[in-house]
Amino acid sequence: MPIRSDYFVSDLAAAMKLPVLVVAQNRLGCLNHAALTVRSVARYQLRCVGLVLNSTEKTSDIAALTNADILKRILNIPVLVGLGENLTELPVDWRLMLESTSEEPC
């Protein structure tokens, strides 16, 4: 994501040594988008603490139902599903999972 034409969020994260939480829309096309983004984070040698599959849809299709399981198998990071709308705080199990994530780049 560009912040300006020559400076990206990845540059900011690297400069500030911030961990990265990737968010992807849980729908058809998610697997490619999520895997490429997580691998890009690793290429910048940033620490990826997890992937959130976000959805605002009321109904789920087969992709939305299977994306998390597939991504858990192919990526070596926590995959978090079901972020609720207007949530003001992460659920306890999400906080524990993120806190226990290793300090190594993904």
Side-chain angles (χ1 to χ4, degrees):
M1 223 33 219
I3 294 174
R4 60 178 196 238
S5 63
D6 62 341
Y7 198 77
F8 293 80
V9 171
S10 54
D11 297 316
L12 179 63
M16 297 182 72
K17 297 183 177 148
L18 296 172
V20 176
L21 178 65
V22 174
V23 179
Q25 184 70 25
N26 190 13
R27 62 179 179 191
L28 185 63
C30 169
L31 297 177
N32 188 50
H33 167 77
L36 288 173
T37 302
V38 168
R39 290 182 179 139
S40 175
V41 169
R43 205 170 46 247
Y44 278 93
Q45 298 180 346
L46 298 169
R47 185 168 61 97
C48 187
V49 294
L51 167 67
V52 173
L53 295 181
N54 195 15
S55 179
T56 57
E57 303 295 320
K58 298 292 183 200
T59 59
S60 296
D61 60 16
I62 190 69
L65 296 172
T66 59
N67 284 337
D69 289 334
I70 294 168
L71 289 164
K72 285 176 186 175
R73 285 196 310 264
I74 65 173
L75 300 173
N76 190 28
I77 58 170
V79 177
L80 311 170
V81 184
L83 186 62
E85 192 172 332
N86 298 322
L87 193 64
T88 59
E89 182 177 325
L90 285 177
V92 172
D93 57 334
W94 283 31
R95 286 196 312 267
L96 293 174
M97 186 183 302
L98 291 173
E99 289 168 3
S100 69
T101 304
S102 81
E103 295 287 331
E104 299 297 315
C106 57

